[in-house]
Amino acid sequence: MDSLSKPTENDSYNAHIYAAFESIFNAYSLIYFCRNPRLGSILLAATFISPTFGLFGLAGTMTAFAATKMLDFPASRIRSGELLCNSLISSMGLAYVTNQQNLSVYLLMVLLPVTAITAMFLSVALTQVMLRLFGMGAYSLPFVIVTIFNYLLIYSFTATPVIGAPPPSLLPDIPFLPSILTEWFLAFSAALFLPNVYVGMIACCAVLIHSPLQIALGMFGFLVGYGFLQLTGLNASAFGAGWMGTNYLYCGMGLGGVYFITSKSSLLLAGFGAILSTLIAIGMRTFLRSYNIPPLSFPFLIVLLMFTFALRQRSRFLWLFESPYADGSPEQNVLRFHTNLKRFPDFYTPTLSLPFSGDRVVTQGFNGTYTHKSLWCHALDFEILDASGNPHPDQRTKLEDAYTYGSAILSPCDGTIVSVVSDVADNELGEENLLQNWGNLVVILNDLGWYVLLSHFKRDGIIVYKNQRVTRGQLLGYCGNSGRSPLPHLHLQVQAAWFPGATTIPFRIRNFISHHASGVTVLTTGIPGEGDLISPLQIDPDLIACFSGQIGTSIRYRIEKSGKTIAWETIETISLGWGEISYRSVEYGARLSATISDETYISHTLENSSSSLLRLFSMGLGLVPFSKNRNIIWKDYSAYRPWISPVNVILSDLLQPFVGLPFLHLQSRFFPSNKPDEILIQTTVINVDDRFPTNIEITLSPNLGILELTAYYQGNDWRIVQERAEPFPQANWGH
């Protein structure tokens, strides 16, 4: 087939051209906190309402693009537009600064590439500095620095302050717009240094198509700032058309829904940010007045950096949540965040794997009966007990007779060993060493920045050393009875510092099986209780192959309703690296993202899914543990949004961040299969109406993926059957 043929040199050339256009378009869209090439192409076209300004912006962006490619900066950062956006707005700023200044054409031919390339270098350098110092990006700080320098430079050439004037436009003014609407559209256009109502209208409509919620948030910030000016009588007209409005717009969008998850609290933050940015701009005017320099986006930057860094210092994350997502619209980020929070309640809590294999009993839990109190209340103790609950056989009194003594202790996370003690003698059964409370121990600095202490190792039973790098599941040593330990057991805690005895902090255990007396075994993530018999998940490679085997394939499915074939749909699957998988429906353009991590397959974001069978895939295979134990059950949640009609989606996206998101409650289990090489999963949808299936059964096969899916509705059934699977070149998959 032609679609499977080896890419030619012409294909490679076209791919490079496509990447160049995508990089430039993304740079334009990032001005409004979006990453959407289609939006960027509209904005680029809008700048040519003033041809000179449009040419400056495009030429500067292309210059920066060429420089980043020649210097071999990371392709992903170039393609995202991240390294080009500051060059774009700095170049547009240069056009604004030099407008009506009668400067030499040759001087402008030098200033434009210097401005674009300097802004690009500053973007790279300041991003690294800001990340190292504060864990935050540089945002538009390079643009502010370069543009202020250009203002001062032009002042040195002309000996007079720059008089900013609207650029010449190809279109006439609109005389009938109310003043507040004019200011609103000028706020949009000023971000492009084009204070023009037409440009603002085009930019506003383009962002509206991309994200109605983002426009609503921007409007909120604008109205708060505009209202503050009207109520206080402060005069911001000296800043030029639209500049204060742009800062209000950025506060609404950035604080309300881009850098923070949209909520009632984020709206309050955005409103306060808009008021504060006004005061900062008026204060800045004192020393900028001499050179007629507008505030640019500097007030918003100060507010954003101050709020973000300060809120990261909280002891608990409540009310306001910084967005963990680098891309996506506010609607998508709200859905992703709250879905993760619903499915994984410990989203913001340190999470560990069990540090052993086999079954253990939790003999002391959080706020335990004996020693897990006060500053050390967040800790777990594990022992091996027999069926009668005894730690060693009857009539046995030697230390070596205890079931737990000498058992292997594994690393519960990836990290670096920061402390080891291994010379404390083991106690005889029933005795304790209160002088060396923690006994033999290992402290690990987890890669995410918190400390994990494991204690009561056997004397000389630790096989790792200080500063050694360890990975999850790696052998650390063997359990003993050292320290405050009358019976051999393993003590586990997460703490705030490296030294033994530091204050503990809450943590959770991931993917453990809890064995109930009723015979039901539940897979969960959370805090096991005292007396619980638990064990870690044992991995089944066949289940992993069910999902990894689909990667790089194009599979055609036949769709039947009540026994009659009604349609066909083709699903292409690619790997995005780092365990991320993406599915795409050829016929409907729907996309489903998923990950394989922590011994589990997890379905995540679903887009454009109103008619695609990917809706059923995401529900029936929302979460699948790679467990050898086929008797387990597990719970999950699925968002309503993919099932809402397109007309209602917009209203839902605007309201749900403030009133709450509805979810479907799912319960899944492995089901007996008639064929040994097939795995059957049954998912029950709890408390649903006629829109949703009551049960979904999916048949998986190693290396063949999803063979069949049956969705049982009230009244009729849908059956989806794999007809044909073939490989396809991932490089041909468009973006």
Side-chain angles (χ1 to χ4, degrees), residues 133-212:
L133 292 179
F134 307 110
M136 296 180 287
Y139 307 119
S140 58
L141 187 57
F143 144 71
V144 171
I145 294 172
V146 170
T147 302
I148 289 177
F149 179 80
N150 279 337
Y151 264 92
L152 298 175
L153 188 67
I154 300 304
Y155 177 79
S156 69
F157 291 157
T158 62
T160 58
V162 173
I163 301 175
S169 172
L170 297 178
L171 299 173
D173 292 335
I174 303 177
F176 54 82
L177 276 181
S179 61
I180 190 169
L181 275 181
T182 300
E183 292 294 329
W184 166 249
F185 291 130
L186 287 176
F188 266 92
S189 60
L192 292 163
F193 278 97
L194 280 166
N196 179 288
V197 172
Y198 289 105
V199 174
M201 291 174 68
I202 294 171
C204 180
C205 291
V207 177
L208 178 65
I209 294 171
H210 172 75
S211 171

Side-chain angles (χ1 to χ4, degrees), residues 40-307:
S41 65
I42 296 171
L43 295 174
L44 189 157
T47 63
F48 278 86
I49 286 179
S50 175
T52 302
F53 280 60
L55 283 171
F56 263 70
L58 181 58
T61 310
M62 292 177 66
T63 301
F65 174 79
T68 56
K69 296 297 286 186
M70 289 176 61
L71 296 170
D72 201 24
F73 283 108
S76 60
R77 295 183 66 188
I78 300 172
R79 196 160 186 170
S80 70
E82 173 192 345
L83 299 185
L84 309 181
C85 184
N86 279 286
S87 297
L88 163 62
I89 48 180
S90 296
S91 299
M92 298 287 284
L94 180 65
Y96 186 84
V97 172
T98 57
N99 186 35
Q100 299 183 356
Q101 295 297 323
N102 297 318
L103 297 178
S104 163
V105 174
Y106 298 105
L107 177 61
L108 291 178
M109 290 175 65
V110 173
L111 282 179
L112 179 58
V114 168
T115 293
I117 293 173
T118 302
M120 181 272 293
F121 274 114
L122 272 177
S123 295
V124 176
L126 288 179
T127 295
Q128 291 303 309
V129 171
M130 294 292 288
L131 284 173
R132 288 178 182 273
L133 292 179
F134 307 110
M136 296 180 287
Y139 307 119
S140 58
L141 187 57
F143 144 71
V144 171
I145 294 172
V146 170
T147 302
I148 289 177
F149 179 80
N150 279 337
Y151 264 92
L152 298 175
L153 188 67
I154 300 304
Y155 177 79
S156 69
F157 291 157
T158 62
T160 58
V162 173
I163 301 175
S169 172
L170 297 178
L171 299 173
D173 292 335
I174 303 177
F176 54 82
L177 276 181
S179 61
I180 190 169
L181 275 181
T182 300
E183 292 294 329
W184 166 249
F185 291 130
L186 287 176
F188 266 92
S189 60
L192 292 163
F193 278 97
L194 280 166
N196 179 288
V197 172
Y198 289 105
V199 174
M201 291 174 68
I202 294 171
C204 180
C205 291
V207 177
L208 178 65
I209 294 171
H210 172 75
S211 171
L213 180 58
Q214 191 154 320
I215 287 293
L217 294 170
M219 187 173 293
F220 176 82
F222 175 81
L223 291 175
V224 170
Y226 188 84
F228 178 70
L229 285 178
Q230 299 302 313
L231 288 173
T232 57
L234 294 173
N235 183 14
S237 60
F239 294 134
W243 271 114
M244 282 313 305
T246 298
N247 279 275
Y248 301 151
L249 184 75
Y250 280 177
C251 284
M253 290 181 174
L255 299 175
V258 174
Y259 299 109
F260 292 88
I261 297 297
T262 304
S263 64
K264 296 174 185 177
S265 300
S266 76
L267 277 186
L268 291 175
L269 189 70
F272 182 59
I275 293 171
L276 184 57
S277 67
T278 303
L279 301 176
I280 292 172
I282 291 174
M284 289 173 58
R285 186 64 183 164
T286 303
F287 59 88
L288 295 178
R289 181 185 294 122
S290 301
Y291 304 99
N292 205 33
I293 300 174
L296 307 175
S297 59
F298 198 54
F300 162 70
L301 275 176
I302 294 175
V303 168
L304 173 63
L305 293 171
M306 177 181 66
F307 284 167

Side-chain angles (χ1 to χ4, degrees), residues 531-546:
D532 285 356
L533 176 63
I534 63 174
S535 62
L537 188 71
Q538 292 186 352
I539 307 303
D540 184 354
D542 286 343
L543 262 171
I544 299 177
C546 289

Side-chain angles (χ1 to χ4, degrees), residues 542 544-550 553 555 701-706 722 725:
D542 286 343
I544 299 177
C546 289
F547 296 96
S548 61
Q550 280 188 280
T553 63
I555 301 178
S701 174
N703 303 318
L704 294 177
I706 301 170
Q722 182 182 127

